[in-house]
Amino acid sequence: MTTETNAVAVTGREGRVSLSGVGKRFVTRGRGHVGEFQALDDVSFAVEPSEFVSLLGPSGCGKTTVLRMVAGLLKPDTGTVRVGAVPVTKPGPDRAVVFQNAALLPWLDVRGNVSFGMRLLKWPSARVREQTRHYVSLVGLEGFEHHLPRELSGGMQQRVGLARALAVDPQILLMDEPFGALDEITRRQMQNELLRIWAQSRKTSLFVTHSVDEAVILSDRILIMGARPGRILADIRVDLPRPRDRDVEASDEFVALRQEVWRWLDSR
Amino acid sequence: MAGQPLTVVTREQPDAVARPNERGRAARLGQAAVRFLREELLVSLAALAVGAAVWQLVAIAIDAAWLPTFWSVLSNCHDLLGDAKFRAALGDSLYDVLVGYGISVLLGGIVGIGMGLNRYVDWALVYYLDLLLFIPPIVTAPIFLIIFGLSKTTLLAVIVVFASTVIAVNCKAAVESVDDSLREVPRVFGAGRVQTVLRVQLRAALPLVFTGLYLGVGRAVKGMIIGQLFIAVIGLGAYEARFEQAFDAQGIWSIALVVVVAALVLSWVVRFVDGIVNHWAYGGST
């Protein structure tokens, strides 16, 4: 199941994400000294259309940096990031991001937050209303349309963040540890919700996580990253059947995959 | 387990913390208004009533010429307000405060937001802003007097310099302190710098901007009194100067009371608007 990743040839397929030889340095400033920190070195992989890929690794290995580069929020120092055949130079509505802290606009209610991206993109009002209704319903927040973010639990806030991202109908969904701040019970509920929602949309997805179980239950592939510098250590294919539910956790395949992922993580 | 009662499990919407209900913007604004009346106005009035009672008791107890009783000052205020000349002076002073405050909001807002958004503007202006923030108006008033003479312009300049600095400082801090992740939200949907600033950064900065506007009201009133005292020929300042020269304690306290009431009313107006505009930032969850 394991293959060492290689640089991926670029194709013209829409919804395909590819990184080739990507590197990134950050300048660090301390008291009286300025240094450089190699955050990423020669990172190459691809996410095929309708594939769900997780980036898994310890803190500081550059998972979020990779995701921010695909989003266009950061530029690589070396190498290229492409969506389809087009190099990523800036953010765009073809790539929607679900943030770690939900990042909801606190003055907008649930409906306002879900429709925010569509309004920015100047979609027709009728379509905005229809999409908003659909995605609020999809994430199970009917009846909470007029609630402000501060009136919602962490899990509900993340549902709004997910709905906001999906509502603009992006080619690619980028999720940066969206459930990282949630308690274990809510986290499992949100994973189930994401499995259900993703099964309907099958968006090309890149998911950053610290959790091995989360990566295995959600993903088609798991990219294991190592730190200092951040790089891809392994590309593990998850051949568990879809649609998935929690019963799969008891299967021999799930247990074997989890052990394999841990072997990679423990070996570094 | 036979014979034991079964545990009843009720199913609720997962991780829901609030009951779903239908609430619109109008209802929220109504709630904000009620919250203002309850938490700001009533509490302030109660605190003022206690202060007035303490003043009355202390004045009776020490029976000093420099401290008239609250009731005598109130009665003197009533007499003063019956005088058309005093009412005109009060009106003039409030007008000066409002005009000076309006200019301060505009100037302080533009300078502060400009500094918060652009580091070059910040570098160019930060030291001047610090300087003006710490220089008392009693120092700047003579300079304006030389430039503009005994005129309203001098008074307005004192008010504007005194009030606009604190507004600018707060606007700068407000814009700078907006969370990075909030600023990234419009960017990931392809918004440019202008849209990001207008749709998110300025909106998110509003609660702290209003803190500056609130502090600015107080400084505008202070600037007005200091300016009028310095010029000593117009408005409440002229009355204050006259009472000072006559050692009229009741008159001096009456002017102080009128100024306090005017400042309180103005600050309540700012707080009320703040509560309506930034209702999302106040109060706990439902």
Side-chain angles (χ1 to χ4, degrees):
Chain A
M1 278 189 281
T2 304
T3 57
E4 296 288 340
T5 48
N6 297 312
V8 178
V10 172
T11 74
R13 280 189 286 169
E14 282 195 354
R16 182 178 194 267
V17 178
S18 61
L19 283 80
S20 178
V22 166
K24 183 73 184 173
R25 280 173 179 272
F26 289 115
V27 175
T28 57
R29 292 177 202 279
R31 283 188 178 175
H33 78 278
V34 177
E36 275 202 339
F37 162 64
Q38 183 81 39
L40 294 175
D41 183 35
D42 194 23
V43 171
S44 302
F45 68 86
V47 183
E48 299 300 331
S50 297
E51 199 176 27
F52 193 116
V53 173
S54 286
L55 285 169
L56 177 69
S59 293
C61 70
K63 305 183 294 289
T64 295
T65 304
V66 169
L67 187 120
R68 288 171 65 79
M69 284 178 175
V70 177
L73 293 168
L74 268 181
K75 289 193 171 100
D77 294 332
T78 58
T80 53
V81 179
R82 290 172 195 269
V83 171
V86 181
V88 172
T89 55
K90 60 181 183 180
D94 57 331
R95 287 149 287 143
V97 179
V98 181
F99 294 89
Q100 187 174 9
N101 62 354
L104 301 182
L105 303 178
W107 55 90
L108 294 179
D109 59 14
V110 167
R111 202 172 45 180
N113 269 290
V114 173
S115 62
F116 181 76
M118 294 180 280
R119 291 192 191 283
L120 264 183
L121 296 167
K122 296 187 168 42
W123 285 21
S125 297
R127 193 174 170 208
V128 170
R129 274 197 301 276
E130 186 190 325
Q131 285 280 98
T132 304
R133 204 167 27 242
H134 173 70
Y135 281 99
V136 166
S137 164
L138 186 72
V139 298
L141 287 177
E142 284 164 312
F144 290 87
E145 290 90 341
H146 298 290
H147 279 62
L148 292 171
R150 68 175 161 83
E151 297 167 336
L152 303 173
S153 69
M156 293 164 94
Q157 289 185 20
Q158 279 300 0
R159 288 168 196 240
V160 179
L162 185 60
R164 178 176 65 188
L166 288 169
V168 295
D169 196 20
Q171 287 179 39
I172 295 147
L173 191 58
L174 305 168
M175 292 170 274
D176 184 10
E177 290 186 63
F179 312 142
L182 304 179
D183 65 83
E184 189 61 28
I185 297 164
T186 310
R187 189 177 184 132
R188 277 176 70 90
Q189 287 169 346
M190 289 302 296
Q191 289 162 2
N192 296 341
E193 289 288 303
L194 183 58
L195 277 172
R196 177 180 64 80
I197 291 164
W198 188 83
Q200 290 179 37
S201 65
R202 296 194 71 88
K203 296 278 181 199
T204 308
S205 300
L206 189 59
F207 187 90
V208 167
T209 181
H210 277 122
S211 164
V212 172
D213 282 17
E214 185 168 85
V216 175
I217 192 85
L218 293 176
S219 310
D220 295 314
R221 280 164 57 215
I222 300 170
L223 300 174
I224 296 179
M225 291 188 71
R228 293 171 188 275
R231 64 208 184 280
I232 304 291
L233 298 176
D235 182 344
I236 297 176
R237 181 157 293 284
V238 179
D239 286 326
L240 298 171
R242 287 193 189 270
R244 284 179 204 162
D245 56 32
R246 286 287 164 186
D247 292 342
V248 80
E249 286 177 326
S251 68
D252 293 341
E253 292 89 341
F254 185 93
V255 174
L257 276 163
R258 191 168 58 184
Q259 283 175 344
E260 183 169 4
V261 170
W262 273 117
R263 261 199 303 277
W264 274 100
L265 291 171
D266 290 340
S267 69
R268 304 289 154 166
Chain B
M1 297 292 285
Q4 286 186 1
L6 291 170
T7 304
V8 178
V9 178
T10 55
R11 286 197 61 179
E12 291 181 9
Q13 179 111 5
D15 68 2
V17 293
R19 289 161 62 82
N21 58 8
E22 282 295 322
R23 292 180 307 175
R25 187 171 170 76
R28 283 190 188 288
L29 298 184
Q31 277 178 357
V34 169
R35 191 186 310 124
F36 169 79
L37 288 172
R38 197 177 57 225
E39 294 175 12
E40 296 283 342
L41 209 55
L42 288 180
V43 171
S44 298
L45 288 174
L48 287 173
V50 170
V54 170
W55 175 357
Q56 179 74 11
L57 292 173
V58 171
I60 291 169
I62 65 174
D63 192 22
W66 58 268
L67 185 63
T69 61
F70 175 73
W71 284 116
S72 67
V73 171
L74 206 57
S75 165
N76 196 47
C77 284
H78 183 260
D79 294 344
L80 282 172
L81 288 169
D83 176 4
K85 280 185 183 171
F86 182 83
R87 282 203 306 274
L90 178 62
D92 265 4
S93 299
L94 288 177
Y95 179 77
D96 292 341
V97 168
L98 289 177
V99 172
Y101 182 66
I103 297 170
S104 302
V105 170
L106 209 61
L107 185 67
I110 289 170
V111 168
I113 289 167
M115 291 172 76
L117 292 177
N118 187 299
R119 62 181 166 162
Y120 297 110
V121 177
D122 189 27
W123 288 342
L125 297 178
V126 69
Y127 297 109
Y128 295 106
L129 187 61
D130 284 349
L131 212 67
L132 289 172
L133 193 63
F134 295 113
I135 290 180
I138 205 74
V139 174
T140 52
I143 299 169
F144 292 127
L145 188 65
I146 294 167
I147 300 170
F148 301 117
L150 276 175
S151 69
K152 284 255 184 193
T153 316
T154 300
L155 182 62
L156 287 177
V158 173
I159 295 173
V160 168
V161 167
F162 201 40
S164 64
T165 44
V166 74
I167 293 172
V169 166
N170 273 271
C171 285
K172 173 181 175 308
V175 169
E176 285 174 344
S177 65
V178 174
D179 195 58
D180 282 346
S181 62
L182 283 191
R183 279 188 277 193
E184 284 180 348
V185 171
R187 281 186 66 203
V188 298
F189 291 110
R193 167 98 164 134
V194 174
Q195 262 190 317
T196 300
V197 168
L198 293 179
R199 299 289 291 266
V200 170
Q201 203 165 354
L202 292 183
R203 191 72 182 82
L206 271 182
L208 199 48
V209 166
F210 264 87
T211 304
L213 298 186
Y214 174 68
L215 295 172
V217 165
R219 287 173 73 99
V221 172
K222 273 193 257 180
M224 178 267 288
I225 290 295
I226 291 167
Q228 288 186 343
L229 271 174
F230 195 79
I231 298 168
V233 291
I234 53 169
L236 291 180
Y239 272 85
E240 182 78 3
R242 194 189 311 158
F243 291 142
E244 272 177 31
Q245 283 158 13
F247 288 102
D248 180 352
Q250 207 166 44
I252 293 169
W253 281 101
S254 299
I255 297 294
L257 192 62
V258 168
V259 170
V260 164
V261 170
L264 269 177
V265 170
L266 288 174
S267 70
W268 280 335
V269 170
V270 174
R271 280 209 185 270
F272 180 72
V273 177
D274 181 24
I276 297 291
V277 173
N278 299 316
H279 64 90
W280 50 273
Y282 301 111
S285 59
T286 53

